[in-house]
Amino acid sequence: MKLATIENGTPDGALVVVSKDGSRTLPAAIPTLQAAIESWETSEPALRALAAKLDAGEGDSTDGLAFAAPLPRAWQWLDGSAYRSHGELMETLFGTEPPPPGRPLMYQGLSHQFLSATADVPLPREEDGIDFEGEFGVITDFVPMGVTPDQALGHIKLLVQINDWSLRAIAPVEMKTGFGWVQAKPACSVAPFAVTPDALSDAWRDGRVHLPLTVDWNGERFGNAEGGAMEFGFHELVAHAASTRSLCAGTIIGSGTVSNSNFREIGSACIAERRGIEMLDEGKPRTSFMHFGDTVRMEARLRDGGLLFGAIDQKVVRG
């Protein structure tokens, strides 16, 4: 099942159910995705009934609709760094220690705004080191404190695709404070469709999205890394986040930059990784960060070629 939020002039938009091919919608009786996830046990059957009608050919065309992020704002956004190939590269470059065994990396980021997949991204300065980061993410219902990873798997209700914008020149300064990121992490962008795990069929297993995330920068292929290479699955990230506190319904948890150990062959989902490879191989980076007017496109396709989450297709502009 695919869900989306239509822009309607309100902060949370209007919830719709979307056909499998993304071409038609039906309005949901429940007003917003946040309301649906808070009452998922009762709202899911009604939403699936609408999905069945869409499968039968009902629904209105998506032409002309303005999709917001599935959750235009959320109570909580937690981002992990679950791909060891990316982490090991950064540790080698900066001489940092790896995290303790069995402990995922995670930080809490800006959640009061998520950009739509086609919105221009306003940022103040090119010299801040503008970078994209292609990720997958999950949306949970209410998660009790102390859940096990197996229990956490049942609390993952929706999957999303995320561009976690980063300002690389600011990040090291904030990291040295030991208090985490604020200025280095502007609002993320999210692809238009949130999907239930069954929409992935066998591409959803072990708490991981086993699909490639294709990234194009200014129309040129930049990366095509497989999502399934996470050291920690999403169920383990959820359990980690809920270790000492409950998680509210509508919590979004990201995978961190999708990365594979053969990144020299298949490319990367962020510029920082490409620059890191160049530093190791050539002694210095030669790929610049983004400039105003640059575009980035991200998408994930099912094995049959179907576009799963829709696409993120954005331009960076001077804010």
Side-chain angles (χ1 to χ4, degrees):
M1 179 170 61
K2 286 187 178 183
L3 304 176
T5 294
I6 302 300
E7 294 181 1
N8 67 351
T10 67
D12 299 303
L15 178 63
V16 296
V17 185
V18 185
S19 62
K20 291 178 181 177
D21 65 359
S23 67
R24 289 169 289 111
T25 68
L26 283 171
I30 194 162
T32 66
L33 182 55
Q34 180 63 37
I37 204 74
E38 288 175 352
S39 59
W40 192 251
E41 191 170 315
T42 55
S43 63
E44 183 187 14
L47 296 171
R48 287 196 179 274
L50 292 175
K53 290 183 178 182
L54 287 162
D55 289 344
E58 296 186 34
D60 300 317
S61 172
T62 57
D63 290 346
L65 290 181
F67 289 106
L71 281 175
R73 56 180 179 172
W75 290 107
Q76 184 163 228
W77 155 239
L78 302 170
D79 198 15
S81 182
Y83 292 90
R84 281 305 298 151
S85 54
H86 181 79
E88 288 170 356
L89 176 62
M90 297 299 114
E91 290 156 14
T92 299
L93 287 172
F94 300 112
T96 56
E97 293 294 322
R103 185 176 183 84
L105 291 172
M106 185 175 288
Y107 75 94
Q108 186 158 344
L110 182 159
S111 64
H112 70 269
Q113 179 189 29
F114 289 91
L115 302 175
S116 79
T118 55
D120 286 348
V121 181
L123 293 169
R125 295 171 296 273
E126 289 183 348
E127 55 265 33
D128 289 338
I130 302 168
D131 198 357
F132 48 79
E133 288 193 64
E135 306 188 12
F136 294 113
V138 299
I139 303 175
T140 73
D141 65 359
F142 175 79
V143 182
M145 181 175 66
V147 295
T148 66
D150 285 345
Q151 292 168 337
L153 193 62
H155 291 283
I156 294 172
K157 301 305 181 184
L158 295 167
L159 308 175
V160 290
Q161 178 191 310
I162 300 166
N163 184 0
D164 176 33
W165 292 99
S166 295
L167 301 177
R168 300 297 190 181
I170 300 175
V173 178
E174 292 193 311
M175 287 175 69
K176 289 178 181 178
T177 69
F179 263 50
W181 289 306
V182 176
Q183 295 177 338
K185 288 291 186 178
C188 299
S189 307
V190 187
F193 307 138
V195 305
T196 49
D198 60 283
L200 279 72
S201 187
D202 64 351
W204 172 251
R205 59 185 188 276
D206 306 321
R208 295 161 170 84
V209 178
H210 291 267
L211 292 173
L213 180 62
T214 300
V215 179
D216 293 335
W217 180 13
N218 291 331
E220 299 290 333
R221 181 59 39 86
F222 192 80
N224 196 39
E226 283 280 342
M230 297 168 74
E231 179 183 14
F232 299 97
F234 278 111
H235 57 314
E236 294 165 307
L237 295 181
V238 172
H240 172 76
S243 176
T244 60
R245 58 178 175 175
S246 61
L247 306 181
C248 61
T251 292
I252 307 173
I253 296 182
S255 65
T257 304
V258 177
S259 176
N260 297 165
S261 59
N262 59 336
F263 38 49
R264 287 178 176 83
E265 291 76 42
I266 63 171
S268 300
C270 71
I271 301 171
E273 186 170 279
R274 172 72 61 84
R275 285 167 59 91
I277 296 165
E278 292 167 351
M279 289 173 68
L280 288 181
D281 294 352
E282 305 172 34
K284 63 180 180 180
R286 53 181 173 79
T287 300
S288 68
F289 289 113
M290 298 184 81
H291 300 287
F292 295 135
D294 281 6
T295 61
V296 62
R297 179 182 174 89
M298 300 177 180
E299 63 180 41
R301 292 187 179 272
L302 295 166
R303 305 304 180 191
D304 64 5
L307 194 60
L308 181 60
F309 301 101
I312 293 174
D313 199 345
Q314 296 185 286
K315 180 168 65 175
V316 175
V317 298
R318 187 185 300 275

